[in-house]
Amino acid sequence: MADKGFYDCDLHIKLDSVVNLYESERERYWTDTLGEEEYARASIMFEQAEAFAKALFTSAETLIAPDQIQRNLRHLEQELRRVSRFPGYFKKCAERIWSSDKTPKEKQRRLLELCQEQPTAPQDEASPLKLVWERLLIDLSWQAVGRIEEAAKRMLRLYELVLRTKPSQATQKFLGRLGRCYVWGFDSECIILCRAVLDTAFRDIVPAEVCERHCRGDASHGYTLSNRMHAALKEGYIDGSVKRLATQVKVRGDSAVHYQPDVTQDILGTIRDTVVVLEKLHCRK
């Protein structure tokens, strides 16, 4: 048999090795290989970047600001704010320059000066955020590598659940998001999206006039998913067993949104129920 070379083991193992090698070589460069004069300054830069990246990673995952950024990291925070805010600042200044009564030549000069104020992108070597950028890439790579094998298994499982009928464009968009969330392990989001998929599908299939025949209340505020499910049952679009599945998906989605995001453990089962309801609905079209 021919030599497999780099193809001699599973991809996720290779990726794990590559990320590990990059991380160790990066740390070795900043802690071992620099000259004595550079070492003290470089090691401080490295430690500050690692600490600031950790704070960024935590705040991005929780959307809660750190209690307090250490004083020795504030220059990195200020640089990040400059990078983040520059597009809005540029647009505002450019509009002001363009609408001014200056000559075209003067406007051009001012716009060029404005372009020169743009901060260096974090991924560029000259940026104070370069080491921070690298640490974020490393941590994200570890997360991705840790998920790809399970993601592949989940993709295989999903094939048995794919729709054999074609829903509306709006429903398809939600289904695409649902599939991606399940593959990459965003389970709570899957439950919320299952409910959103049904909401969109019932709105497509059950028009307001059908709801008017079967639902009480003020239609000026629009019909809810529960209203449309009830109307679909009365109109014969779905039977009682399908309505029970739809209700179960709705209740799980409502719980995920309003109470406990992780309350539902049967993610694949919820997706399966959603697909069954969609199949029955779209068979009526």
Side-chain angles (χ1 to χ4, degrees), residues 7-251:
Y7 177 51
D8 65 349
C9 62
D10 289 342
L11 176 60
H12 74 279
I13 297 174
K14 288 291 187 186
L15 292 174
D16 185 277
S17 299
V18 169
V19 178
N20 184 60
L21 179 62
Y22 179 87
E23 183 177 24
S24 60
E25 286 291 295
R26 170 178 175 268
E27 185 170 355
R28 187 181 68 85
Y29 173 82
W30 285 96
T31 57
D32 294 343
T33 64
L34 296 176
E36 188 174 329
E37 293 182 2
E38 298 175 286
Y39 175 75
R41 177 173 171 273
S43 61
I44 291 172
M45 286 173 53
F46 185 80
E47 289 172 6
Q48 289 176 346
E50 296 287 282
F52 187 60
K54 182 178 180 180
L56 283 180
F57 210 97
T58 301
S59 63
E61 288 190 327
T62 62
L63 287 185
I64 298 173
D67 292 336
Q68 188 174 4
I69 292 290
Q70 298 173 28
R71 182 174 298 178
N72 63 348
L73 303 181
R74 286 180 186 165
H75 65 290
L76 295 173
E77 183 181 39
Q78 290 169 359
E79 181 65 18
L80 179 58
R81 291 187 188 281
R82 283 185 65 225
V83 171
S84 301
R85 294 174 179 176
F86 185 78
Y89 167 77
F90 180 90
K91 181 180 178 182
K92 186 176 180 180
C93 292
E95 288 174 348
R96 190 184 306 130
I97 292 168
W98 195 254
S99 61
S100 69
D101 57 1
K102 298 181 184 298
T103 65
K105 188 173 181 178
E106 178 64 15
K107 288 180 181 179
Q108 183 181 34
R109 186 186 68 78
R110 284 291 300 116
L111 286 172
L112 287 173
E113 289 176 351
L114 183 60
C115 290
Q116 291 170 0
E117 294 180 32
Q118 182 172 3
T120 309
Q123 58 268 42
D124 291 345
E125 288 292 335
S127 173
L129 295 170
K130 180 65 164 65
L131 281 169
V132 177
W133 172 265
E134 290 174 354
R135 170 46 62 187
L136 294 177
L137 290 181
I138 290 168
D139 288 347
L140 289 168
S141 296
W142 282 125
Q143 283 195 355
V145 170
R147 289 175 178 170
I148 59 172
E149 191 173 21
E150 177 62 21
K153 292 177 183 177
R154 286 182 170 221
M155 193 168 282
L156 294 176
R157 293 179 202 135
L158 274 184
Y159 184 72
E160 291 303 315
L161 303 184
V162 295
L163 278 169
R164 309 301 169 183
T165 57
K166 195 164 186 178
S168 70
Q169 285 292 327
T171 302
Q172 286 181 55
K173 288 180 181 178
F174 276 111
L175 283 171
R177 295 189 186 104
L178 174 57
R180 289 192 293 275
C181 280
Y182 178 70
V183 166
W184 289 109
F186 299 110
D187 291 344
S188 299
E189 292 79 359
C190 284
I191 301 301
I192 295 167
L193 280 169
C194 282
R195 193 227 187 268
V197 166
L198 290 192
D199 207 353
T200 305
F202 273 95
R203 202 179 315 122
D204 289 339
I205 300 297
V206 185
E209 53 267 27
V210 172
C211 292
E212 288 171 8
R213 288 200 292 270
H214 302 290
C215 301
R216 298 177 181 177
D218 184 6
S220 63
H221 296 295
Y223 292 104
T224 65
L225 175 56
S226 293
N227 293 150
R228 293 183 190 276
M229 287 161 50
H230 174 75
L233 177 66
K234 292 295 185 182
E235 200 72 13
Y237 292 174
I238 57 175
D239 61 22
S241 63
V242 173
K243 184 176 184 295
R244 282 192 292 275
L245 289 180
T247 301
Q248 184 170 270
V249 173
K250 177 186 178 301
V251 169

